[in-house]
Amino acid sequence: MEKIKTWIIRILLALVALLAVILKGRKPEWVKEKEKEVEQKDELIKKEKIQAKQAENYYKEMIKKHDEEIEQAGKTPGIPDINNPNDAANYIDDILSNDGS
């Protein structure tokens, strides 16, 4: 009878130890919630980085287009090239002196 009691106590202790190991291995609920929040923020950051990259590419395209338009405007026949600051100042003075009259 004493051996049966000993075995029953050992089995119960083993079950309690197994239950403790199982419960200790689980994450608390607040940890799961925080991990979910971090994942959501990571997704948001990824989306923002993609949008920033798209905006940067759009900006580069617009700069290239703008530079091409400036180059085409410089090739307009009949307009003298402005190569120095004095030519630019004279051109602006001519525009200002023609006040619509």
Side-chain angles (χ1 to χ4, degrees):
M1 190 67 151
E2 195 62 35
K3 286 186 175 184
I4 295 174
K5 284 183 182 178
T6 304
W7 277 102
I8 291 175
I9 290 173
R10 286 182 183 175
I11 291 172
L12 287 176
L13 286 175
L15 289 174
V16 169
L18 181 63
L19 182 62
V21 169
I22 290 172
L23 290 177
K24 186 173 180 167
R26 294 176 59 191
K27 293 181 182 178
E29 192 63 33
W30 68 270
V31 173
K32 291 179 185 178
E33 290 175 8
K34 290 298 177 182
E35 287 176 344
K36 187 176 179 180
E37 288 178 19
V38 169
E39 289 174 5
Q40 290 173 345
K41 288 181 181 180
D42 285 344
E43 280 296 317
L44 182 63
I45 289 171
K46 286 179 186 177
K47 289 179 184 177
E48 292 296 326
K49 284 183 179 181
I50 290 170
Q51 288 180 349
K53 188 65 174 175
Q54 290 172 344
E56 181 182 359
N57 290 340
Y58 179 74
Y59 175 74
K60 287 179 182 178
E61 288 176 16
M62 289 296 106
I63 292 293
K64 184 178 178 181
K65 182 179 176 184
H66 185 256
D67 289 344
E68 289 172 358
E69 289 175 356
I70 290 173
E71 185 178 331
Q72 289 298 322
K75 295 179 181 178
T76 305
I79 297 177
D81 290 339
I82 297 177
N83 296 326
N84 61 51
N86 288 333
D87 289 343
N90 291 336
Y91 179 73
I92 292 173
D93 287 340
D94 288 342
I95 290 174
L96 294 176
S97 64
N98 294 331
D99 58 359
S101 47

